Amino acid sequence: MERLPEPELMDDPAQALAYARADFSEPHEAFVRHFRERFPGHAPARALDLGCGPADVTCRFARAYPHTAVLGVDGAPAMIEIGREAVKRAGLARRVALVAGRLPGADLPAGAFDTVISNSLLHHLADPAVLWGAIRLYAAPRAAVFVMDLLRPASSAHARRLVDQYAAGETEILRRDFHNSLLAAFTVDEIRTQLDETDLPFTVDVVSDRHVAIHGRAP
Ligand SMILES: C[S@@+](CC[C@H](N)C(=O)[O-])C[C@H]1O[C@@H](n2cnc3c(N)ncnc32)[C@H](O)[C@@H]1O
């Protein structure tokens, strides 16, 4: 099935709220677990979360690494607003900051982060090289890089089955967005080609029936 891109930013307030209220505890806890398994003993000092959305992964990561300062960036002000409330509620405001900024071109310090993470941003990008370019720009040399995203299923029917299986009790907006996201996601082969083209020596693993993980050390 051909990729069907979706709009990049999730800046519609109803859409942002539906996403923020959905239960992503299983994949988001898995995100942190996969990171830890791939970087045993790594103690992040300064982490960057690209496309942080409502900061659920950002906060889980910060809780898992209690000595880390985490900066989240997202191009959608509606998401940043919801995310800042979540950070405050979690009592993490001293270590977790969120900034509005669209990639490419977000105003962040280059080469400043020993850890760069990103969950579910890649499939939103019209040009996937934007994510790999941001990692090259903002990661310090040898930074731990971990990206998780959806995988594009073989057919729209398969995508609908995944929506029914994993978003049965969610709102219509969320189910629609999940379906569109699956159709906009990349395949493992496409991601490997992106990494070759941007000369990033990362490993690509399929980690569930709908998720792929990409990790490695920044050049
Ligand atoms: C599916 S959400 C994922 C949010 C969060 N990482 C999570 O896992 O819950 C994708 C996020 O990427 C943001 N985004 C998409 N394109 C972007 C860009 N070019 N620059 C910055 N943020 C972007 C969207 O606004 C949205 O909040």
Side-chain angles (χ1 to χ4, degrees):
M1 180 179 58
E2 287 288 298
R3 178 184 190 224
L4 206 62
E6 63 176 341
E8 286 203 349
L9 300 185
M10 296 177 70
D11 204 21
D12 169 41
Q15 180 192 34
L17 203 60
Y19 186 84
R21 285 183 175 163
D23 180 8
F24 290 115
S25 49
E26 191 262 323
H28 289 183
E29 273 305 303
F31 182 98
V32 177
R33 192 179 67 245
H34 286 306
F35 178 91
R36 212 189 266 291
E37 286 167 4
R38 283 160 179 76
F39 298 102
H42 178 64
R46 202 173 177 201
L48 175 64
D49 183 2
L50 296 167
C52 64
D56 187 57
V57 169
T58 329
C59 289
R60 287 176 196 271
F61 192 84
R63 276 196 293 268
Y65 291 96
H67 303 294
T68 308
V70 191
L71 181 65
V73 62
D74 199 285
M79 282 293 195
I80 291 292
E81 203 177 307
I82 294 170
R84 285 189 178 139
E85 285 305 313
V87 169
K88 247 190 266 168
R89 268 199 315 278
L92 290 167
R94 272 183 46 250
R95 287 193 295 122
V96 177
L98 305 184
V99 292
R102 186 172 190 160
L103 303 168
D107 186 16
L108 303 171
F113 298 90
D114 62 32
T115 306
V116 179
I117 59 173
S118 182
N119 186 55
S120 281
L121 167 64
L122 180 62
H123 72 265
H124 273 273
L125 297 170
D127 175 6
V130 165
L131 173 61
W132 309 119
I135 288 170
R136 270 194 173 276
L137 179 60
Y138 301 122
R142 305 282 306 144
V145 175
F146 184 68
V147 172
M148 233 170 98
D149 211 288
L150 295 168
L151 276 173
R152 189 166 78 249
S155 66
S156 178
H158 185 188
R160 273 195 299 277
R161 282 199 298 278
L162 289 170
V163 173
D164 287 341
Q165 187 172 352
Y166 294 107
E170 301 289 358
T171 60
E172 263 321 297
I173 299 182
L174 196 282
R175 287 170 56 83
R176 178 206 65 196
D177 280 354
F178 183 28
H179 186 255
N180 291 343
S181 290
L182 287 163
L183 304 190
F186 294 97
T187 63
V188 168
D189 285 349
E190 287 166 348
I191 293 170
R192 290 210 169 104
T193 301
Q194 293 163 20
L195 294 170
D196 282 348
E197 284 171 357
T198 42
D199 205 15
L200 285 169
F202 295 163
T203 302
V204 184
D205 305 308
V206 174
V207 292
S208 85
D209 57 356
R210 62 208 186 283
H211 293 110
V212 62
I214 302 118
H215 82 281
R217 293 280 177 177

Coordinates of all heavy atoms in Angstrom, one line a residue, residues 1 151-166 178-179 182-183 209-210:
M1 N 0.9 -1.2 0.0 CA 0.0 0.0 0.0 C 0.9 1.2 0.0 O 1.8 1.3 0.8 CB -0.9 0.0 1.3 CG -1.8 1.1 1.4 SD -2.8 1.1 2.9 CE -1.6 1.0 4.2
L151 N 4.3 1.5 12.1 CA 4.6 0.8 10.9 C 3.4 0.8 9.9 O 2.3 0.6 10.4 CB 5.0 -0.6 11.1 CG 6.4 -0.9 11.6 CD1 6.5 -2.4 11.9 CD2 7.4 -0.6 10.4
R152 N 3.6 1.1 8.7 CA 2.5 1.1 7.7 C 2.1 -0.4 7.4 O 2.9 -1.2 7.0 CB 2.9 1.8 6.4 CG 1.7 2.0 5.5 CD 2.0 3.0 4.4 NE 2.7 2.4 3.3 CZ 4.0 2.8 3.0 NH1 4.7 3.6 3.8 NH2 4.6 2.2 2.0
P153 N 0.8 -0.7 7.7 CA 0.3 -2.0 7.4 C 0.2 -2.3 5.9 O 0.3 -1.3 5.1 CB -1.1 -2.1 8.1 CG -1.3 -0.8 8.7 CD -0.3 0.2 8.2
A154 N 0.0 -3.5 5.5 CA -0.1 -3.8 4.1 C -1.3 -3.3 3.4 O -1.3 -3.1 2.2 CB 0.0 -5.4 3.9
S155 N -2.4 -3.1 4.1 CA -3.6 -2.6 3.5 C -4.4 -1.7 4.4 O -4.2 -1.8 5.6 CB -4.5 -3.8 3.1 OG -4.9 -4.4 4.3
S156 N -5.3 -1.0 3.8 CA -6.2 -0.2 4.7 C -7.1 -1.0 5.6 O -7.4 -0.7 6.7 CB -7.1 0.7 3.7 OG -8.0 1.5 4.4
A157 N -7.5 -2.2 5.1 CA -8.3 -3.2 5.9 C -7.5 -3.6 7.1 O -8.0 -3.7 8.2 CB -8.7 -4.4 5.1
H158 N -6.2 -3.9 6.9 CA -5.3 -4.2 8.1 C -5.2 -3.1 9.0 O -5.3 -3.3 10.3 CB -3.9 -4.6 7.5 CG -3.0 -5.1 8.6 ND1 -1.7 -5.4 8.4 CD2 -3.3 -5.4 9.9 CE1 -1.2 -5.8 9.5 NE2 -2.1 -5.9 10.5
A159 N -5.1 -1.8 8.5 CA -5.1 -0.7 9.4 C -6.4 -0.6 10.2 O -6.3 -0.3 11.4 CB -4.9 0.6 8.6
R160 N -7.5 -0.8 9.6 CA -8.8 -0.8 10.3 C -8.9 -1.8 11.4 O -9.3 -1.6 12.5 CB -10.0 -0.9 9.3 CG -10.4 0.4 8.7 CD -11.8 0.3 8.0 NE -11.8 -0.7 7.0 CZ -11.4 -0.4 5.7 NH1 -10.9 0.8 5.4 NH2 -11.4 -1.3 4.8
R161 N -8.3 -3.0 11.1 CA -8.3 -4.0 12.2 C -7.4 -3.6 13.4 O -7.8 -3.8 14.5 CB -7.7 -5.4 11.6 CG -8.8 -6.1 10.7 CD -8.4 -7.6 10.6 NE -7.1 -7.8 9.9 CZ -7.0 -7.8 8.6 NH1 -8.0 -7.5 7.8 NH2 -5.8 -8.0 8.0
L162 N -6.3 -2.9 13.1 CA -5.5 -2.5 14.2 C -6.2 -1.4 15.0 O -6.1 -1.4 16.2 CB -4.1 -1.9 13.6 CG -3.2 -3.0 13.1 CD1 -2.0 -2.3 12.4 CD2 -2.6 -3.9 14.2
V163 N -6.9 -0.5 14.3 CA -7.7 0.5 15.0 C -8.7 -0.2 15.9 O -8.9 0.2 17.1 CB -8.4 1.5 14.0 CG1 -9.3 2.4 14.8 CG2 -7.3 2.3 13.3
D164 N -9.4 -1.2 15.4 CA -10.4 -1.9 16.2 C -9.8 -2.6 17.4 O -10.3 -2.6 18.5 CB -11.2 -2.9 15.4 CG -12.2 -2.2 14.4 OD1 -12.5 -1.0 14.7 OD2 -12.6 -2.8 13.4
Q165 N -8.6 -3.1 17.2 CA -7.9 -3.9 18.2 C -7.4 -3.0 19.3 O -7.5 -3.3 20.5 CB -6.8 -4.7 17.6 CG -6.2 -5.7 18.6 CD -5.2 -6.6 17.9 OE1 -5.1 -6.6 16.7 NE2 -4.4 -7.3 18.7
Y166 N -6.8 -1.8 19.0 CA -6.1 -1.0 20.0 C -6.8 0.3 20.3 O -6.3 0.9 21.2 CB -4.6 -0.8 19.5 CG -3.8 -2.0 19.4 CD1 -3.5 -2.6 18.1 CD2 -3.4 -2.7 20.5 CE1 -2.8 -3.8 18.1 CE2 -2.7 -3.9 20.5 CZ -2.4 -4.4 19.2 OH -1.7 -5.6 19.2
F178 N -5.7 7.7 14.3 CA -4.9 6.5 14.4 C -4.8 5.8 13.0 O -3.8 5.4 12.5 CB -5.4 5.6 15.5 CG -4.6 4.3 15.7 CD1 -3.2 4.3 15.5 CD2 -5.2 3.2 16.2 CE1 -2.5 3.1 15.7 CE2 -4.5 2.0 16.4 CZ -3.2 2.0 16.2
H179 N -6.0 5.7 12.4 CA -6.1 5.1 11.0 C -5.2 5.9 10.0 O -4.4 5.3 9.3 CB -7.6 5.1 10.6 CG -7.7 4.3 9.3 ND1 -8.0 4.9 8.1 CD2 -7.7 3.0 9.0 CE1 -8.1 4.0 7.2 NE2 -7.9 2.8 7.7
L182 N -1.5 5.3 10.6 CA -1.0 4.1 10.1 C -0.8 4.1 8.6 O 0.2 3.6 8.1 CB -2.0 2.9 10.4 CG -2.1 2.5 11.9 CD1 -3.4 1.7 12.2 CD2 -0.8 1.7 12.3
L183 N -1.7 4.8 7.9 CA -1.5 4.9 6.4 C -0.4 5.9 6.1 O 0.2 5.8 5.0 CB -2.8 5.4 5.8 CG -4.1 4.6 6.0 CD1 -5.2 5.1 5.1 CD2 -3.9 3.1 5.8
D209 N 3.3 -5.4 16.7 CA 2.6 -5.6 15.4 C 2.4 -4.3 14.7 O 1.9 -4.3 13.6 CB 1.3 -6.3 15.7 CG 0.4 -5.6 16.7 OD1 0.8 -4.6 17.3 OD2 -0.8 -6.1 16.9
R210 N 2.7 -3.2 15.4 CA 2.5 -1.8 14.7 C 3.6 -0.8 15.0 O 3.4 0.3 14.6 CB 1.1 -1.3 15.2 CG 1.0 -1.0 16.7 CD -0.4 -1.1 17.2 NE -0.5 -0.8 18.6 CZ -0.1 -1.5 19.6 NH1 0.4 -2.7 19.4 NH2 -0.3 -1.1 20.9

